[in-house]
Amino acid sequence: MRIKTALPAAELGLYSLVLSGALAYAGRGLLEASQDGAHRKAFRESVRPGWEYIGRKMDVADFEWVMWFTSFRNVIVFALSGHVLFAKLCTMVAPQLRSWMYAVYGALAVMGTMGPWYMLLLLGHCVGLYVASLLGRPWLCLGLGLASLASFKTDPLISWQSGFVTGTFDLQEVLFHGGSGFTVLRCTSFALESCARPDRRYSLADLLKYNFYLPFFFFGPVMTFDRFHAQVSQAEPVRREGELWHIRAQAGLSVAAIMVVDIFFHFFYILTIPSDLKFANRLPDSALAGLAYSNLVYDWVKAAILFGVVNTVACLDHLDPPQPPKCITALYVFAETHFDRGINDWLCKYVYDHVGGEHSAVIPELAATVATFAITTLWLGPCDIVYLWSFLNCFGLNFELWVQKLAEWGPLARIEASLSVQMSRRVRALFGALNFWAIIMYNLVSLNSLEFTELVARRLLLTGFPQTTLAVLFVTYCGVQLVKERERTLALEEEQRQDKEKLE
């Protein structure tokens, strides 16, 4: 729902003051806890010496982050720099062949990293889905795609297929699952788009060009085949005015974000503290709430940096890739909650929107969410934690629709109609605050641990009731109101821009 009503400036100023003070207070508690726990025996494995000129230890609990920016940093920079260099040369000399250059360079990079047998394995999956696309049956293509995905997510097939990788190295498992999983999603998208356009038969070469585009290969994001093919097939791509400045700004922002995260981990051990429940239980309620919130913010920042770097390269290749996910701080509805916009777009196009229609009826929406989260469970890898995460988020998405339907019910609708528009916004923001913490708790289950989630829930809802519960809820309410005001301002600016274009 679009927000049309502004709140008084003094009220918004109060919300900003409360939120800033609460974040500073919680941050101070986390900083003191990190200093106190730096030398704990339980922290030795994940808190190690960091930058010498800072003189502090660093939280290295995130294996992927450490690998990306230490041992594999040079490899990543070398591979992407080579891609950019050859892409630029090809665009200057023979722009009509640039899609072939992307595919050949990507295939050689994958083969050099994972070995020729892994390449043959992926080609087998590509050919299988290509043959299915020739039959023109969407249900067969989707079914075969899900079967291929299941083969990379469940034993014994996953153990057998992982043996195709040549050699052993630190990020082998991450690259295997990323490359294999995204390959299946891309091939499935190709097959479904081929079925949707029976008058235009795509070739196996089109599929290979799509799949082996190196910047997207291992970590995404996923661009659906129709978008990628249309953009990469442009014979003489032309940049929009100011596009190069935007690309440089995006690259600079990604580098700055990497440095900020590295510095942050020297002062706040937000990933290590939750692993020591005895120590975490001694934190003040405000610091514990800040710890739970910061874990989700970090996961968003990590995704934003990854996609920011990849998208910068893709933009240099004249592509318009999926944007980074929406910041967790700006989320107060489950319908907008996702950590990978590419996968979210893929699921919405081929499953969620196809089954749910307008998403206004209860039963079709329930069927659409169950189907979507079933595939998401398969994508993440079936296990107890993933089952719980999927159930909670599926429930949250449906519960939003149920509450919306209830709010449209006669008596409640009349009550809201009797309120002023500003008061209606305040009431809705209160429900948004409750929803915000539901999003945090439901996703903390998978991003951290069930035990830590139980600790946070018990402290904020039971032992801290009512003081902590109401204080956290009020601070969150202030944040939701500021997010709503930002959304209102952006919507108003967009309307003014469109009106200006019409006049011109």
Side-chain angles (χ1 to χ4, degrees):
M1 176 181 289
R2 189 194 147 191
I3 303 161
K4 300 180 180 180
T5 308
L7 295 178
E11 183 176 345
L12 292 173
L14 175 63
Y15 294 155
S16 300
L17 183 62
V18 170
L19 182 62
S20 302
L23 290 176
Y25 186 69
R28 178 185 175 186
L30 280 177
L31 178 61
E32 292 175 350
S34 298
Q35 291 174 335
D36 294 341
H39 301 287
R40 285 177 62 87
K41 184 181 297 186
F43 285 16
R44 286 179 182 175
E45 290 298 321
S46 54
V47 177
R48 297 180 181 177
W51 292 351
E52 294 181 359
Y53 51 87
I54 290 183
R56 292 183 60 89
K57 293 185 176 182
M58 179 182 179
D59 190 338
V60 295
D62 188 342
F63 165 79
E64 287 184 8
W65 179 270
V66 174
M67 287 296 102
W68 286 346
F69 299 107
T70 53
S71 57
F72 273 82
R73 177 186 56 202
N74 294 336
V75 175
I76 294 172
V77 172
F78 177 78
L80 292 181
S81 298
H83 173 91
V84 171
L85 176 61
F86 284 109
K88 182 62 177 177
L89 291 174
C90 188
T91 302
M92 293 171 60
V93 177
Q96 68 276 12
L97 298 178
R98 64 193 184 100
S99 61
W100 278 108
M101 194 287 303
Y102 297 156
V104 171
Y105 183 88
L108 291 175
V110 172
M111 190 184 305
T113 305
M114 308 295 285
W117 292 109
Y118 178 75
M119 173 66 73
L120 289 176
L121 173 67
L122 295 188
L123 287 175
H125 285 273
C126 291
V127 171
L129 277 160
Y130 172 73
V131 172
S133 71
L134 297 178
L135 301 177
R137 298 290 185 269
W139 62 268
L140 177 62
C141 296
L142 183 60
L144 182 60
L146 295 179
S148 295
L149 184 60
S151 72
F152 287 112
K153 300 296 181 179
T154 56
D155 279 322
L157 289 177
I158 185 176
S159 300
W160 175 68
Q161 292 184 106
S162 63
F164 282 80
V165 180
T166 301
T168 302
F169 48 93
D170 290 333
L171 277 181
Q172 175 178 317
E173 185 176 355
V174 175
L175 297 182
F176 172 79
H177 285 289
S180 306
F182 281 113
T183 289
V184 172
L185 292 188
R186 286 187 288 264
C187 292
T188 305
S189 175
F190 170 87
L192 292 173
E193 293 298 335
S194 296
C195 294
R197 295 170 175 81
D199 56 322
R200 182 175 182 180
R201 287 295 180 184
Y202 298 107
S203 66
L204 179 60
D206 292 325
L207 172 57
L208 297 181
K209 293 176 190 176
Y210 171 49
N211 184 59
F212 289 103
Y213 179 69
L214 183 62
F216 293 166
F217 184 81
F218 286 112
F219 300 111
V222 177
M223 280 183 71
T224 55
F225 175 75
D226 55 329
R227 291 184 56 204
F228 180 88
H229 184 72
Q231 295 174 26
V232 82
S233 298
Q234 296 178 10
E236 295 183 3
V238 178
R239 296 200 183 279
R240 299 184 301 271
E241 184 180 354
E243 184 177 355
L244 279 177
W245 179 90
H246 175 76
I247 293 173
R248 287 193 290 266
Q250 186 180 42
L253 184 62
S254 297
V255 173
I258 292 171
M259 296 178 64
V260 168
V261 171
D262 251 28
I263 294 172
F264 181 87
F265 279 154
H266 283 82
F267 293 89
F268 298 91
Y269 305 149
I270 61 170
L271 303 181
T272 297
I273 292 175
S275 64
D276 188 348
L277 294 180
K278 185 176 180 181
F279 181 77
N281 194 36
R282 299 209 304 260
L283 295 178
D285 290 343
S286 58
L288 189 62
L291 181 62
Y293 166 73
S294 60
N295 267 257
L296 262 74
V297 171
Y298 165 68
D299 196 75
W300 171 80
V301 170
K302 178 180 170 182
I305 290 174
L306 172 62
F307 294 137
V309 172
V310 170
N311 286 358
T312 299
V313 177
C315 289
L316 288 172
D317 293 335
H318 301 273
L319 298 180
D320 183 19
Q323 296 304 303
K326 190 174 181 179
C327 180
I328 186 66
T329 304
L331 293 176
Y332 54 88
V333 290
F334 278 91
E336 298 180 357
T337 303
H338 53 265
F339 293 91
D340 188 323
R341 197 181 296 270
I343 293 177
N344 180 75
D345 293 344
W346 191 98
L347 288 169
C348 287
K349 181 171 186 178
Y350 299 124
V351 183
Y352 184 58
D353 292 341
H354 183 74
V355 178
E358 298 295 326
H359 304 295
S360 57
V362 173
I363 300 302
E365 178 69 4
L366 179 61
T369 53
V370 169
T372 301
F373 278 100
I375 296 176
T376 305
T377 299
L378 183 61
W379 166 258
L380 294 174
C383 63
D384 292 342
I385 287 297
V386 174
Y387 294 146
L388 178 60
W389 175 87
S390 293
F391 171 78
L392 291 173
N393 283 272
C394 184
F395 168 77
L397 194 55
N398 281 277
F399 188 71
E400 280 183 349
L401 179 61
W402 301 342
V403 172
Q404 179 183 338
K405 292 294 183 182
L406 185 63
E408 295 171 356
W409 181 51
L412 292 180
R414 286 192 292 272
I415 292 175
E416 184 176 14
S418 66
L419 301 175
S420 66
V421 287
Q422 291 182 337
M423 184 57 66
S424 175
R425 171 174 163 173
R426 295 185 183 103
V427 172
R428 287 179 175 269
L430 180 60
F431 284 99
L434 294 170
N435 222 28
F436 180 86
W437 274 98
I439 291 172
I440 288 181
M441 301 303 291
Y442 290 178
N443 286 280
L444 199 60
V445 169
S446 64
L447 295 179
N448 204 288
S449 68
L450 180 60
E451 293 76 16
F452 178 66
T453 306
E454 291 175 348
L455 171 64
V456 174
R458 184 173 65 252
R459 287 281 299 278
L460 298 187
L461 298 178
L462 297 179
T463 58
F465 185 84
Q467 292 90 345
T468 299
T469 308
L470 295 178
V472 170
L473 186 61
F474 178 65
V475 170
T476 308
Y477 165 84
C478 294
V480 170
Q481 285 288 24
L482 293 174
V483 170
K484 283 177 173 285
E485 186 63 23
R486 176 62 176 166
E487 291 175 348
R488 188 193 69 83
T489 303
L490 291 176
L492 184 60
E493 290 176 352
E494 180 63 20
E495 276 191 4
Q496 293 174 347
R497 185 188 65 80
Q498 292 177 359
D499 292 340
K500 184 178 180 180
E501 289 180 352
K502 289 178 181 179
L503 292 174
E504 293 176 350

